[in-house]
């Protein structure tokens, strides 16, 4: 994969990583994943509501792009308890403020948050995962490496 510098810069490897992760997940599962994020990119990265299994599939994406100084694209792990983080995001996004971290959401994101909140209240299980995405250096061809892990509390 070639990292595009037409739309992205090295400060936005997270945005590119989320696009790659979404394409991989949708290609492998046939399901449509969607995030709920404010203008700063805060919020859950990718979510799919599986009504057949009564499961909310939540994937947090962590990505890193190789640079001139660092050809090793080691990826980090998200901080905190996945249940606490996810519940806080959905409660805020579906709640009275309809925002995340005090920043407004799109109408589509507000509606999706409300659907997720309703599914949670109906007892849907939440399956948290982390997808790590290692990207090649900006503007160069190279391997993109994607790994998916369970994300458990504690």
């Amino acid at each position: 994969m070639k990292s595009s510098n037409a739309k992205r810069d090295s400060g936005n490897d997270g945005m590119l990583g989320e696009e790659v992760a979404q394409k991989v997940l949708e290609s492998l599962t046939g399901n449509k994943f969607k995030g709920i994020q404010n203008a700063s990119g805060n919020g859950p990265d990718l979510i799919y509501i599986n009504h057949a299994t009564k499961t909310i599939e939540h994937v947090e994406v962590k990505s890193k792009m190789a640079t001139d100084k660092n050809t090793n694209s080691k990826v980090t792990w998200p901080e905190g308890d996945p249940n606490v983080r996810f519940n806080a995001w959905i409660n805020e996004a579906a709640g009275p403020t309809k925002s995340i971290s005090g920043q407004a959401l799109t109408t589509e994101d507000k509606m999706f948050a409300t659907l997720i909140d309703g599914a949670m209240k109906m007892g849907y299980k939440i399956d948290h995962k982390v997808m790590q995405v290692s990207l090649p250096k900006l503007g160069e061809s190279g391997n993109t490496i994607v790994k998916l892990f369970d994300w458990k509390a504690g």
Side-chain angles (χ1 to χ4, degrees):
M1 168 179 205
K2 183 172 183 178
S3 296
S4 169
N5 55 4
K7 298 190 304 181
R8 309 277 180 237
D9 61 38
S10 59
N12 285 329
D13 57 339
M15 291 174 63
L16 181 57
E18 287 176 25
E19 288 178 17
V20 168
Q22 184 176 14
K23 287 179 183 176
V24 167
L25 286 168
E26 290 178 354
S27 174
L28 291 174
T29 67
N31 299 326
K32 176 93 171 112
F33 284 79
K34 180 181 174 354
I36 300 174
Q37 298 181 338
N38 65 21
S40 298
N42 295 323
D45 293 335
L46 298 171
I47 307 164
Y48 171 72
I49 303 173
N50 187 333
H51 295 288
T53 63
K54 296 191 178 199
T55 304
I56 299 165
E57 299 175 23
H58 165 226
V59 179
E60 272 307 291
V61 179
K62 299 303 278 183
S63 59
K64 178 77 174 156
M65 184 180 295
T67 65
D68 288 330
K69 296 176 186 171
N70 174 20
T71 57
N72 176 7
S73 53
K74 183 173 170 130
V75 198
T76 61
W77 192 261
E79 295 179 12
D81 181 311
N83 295 308
V84 172
R85 286 183 64 171
F86 187 78
N87 290 342
W89 282 326
I90 298 304
N91 288 337
E92 190 176 6
T97 64
K98 303 276 192 225
S99 65
I100 291 180
S101 300
Q103 293 185 21
L105 300 172
T106 65
T107 300
E108 183 181 357
D109 282 358
K110 292 174 197 175
M111 290 171 53
F112 192 44
T114 301
L115 282 174
I116 293 165
D117 184 55
M120 290 169 62
K121 288 176 179 167
M122 291 186 339
Y124 279 47
K125 181 184 95 166
I126 304 169
D127 184 21
H128 302 285
K129 304 262 190 230
V130 174
M131 182 170 276
Q132 294 182 331
V133 180
S134 298
L135 301 162
K137 191 178 348 180
L138 188 65
E140 293 187 7
S141 295
N143 291 327
T144 298
I145 301 168
V146 178
K147 297 178 182 178
L148 187 65
F149 302 93
D150 285 327
W151 183 19
K152 303 291 183 197

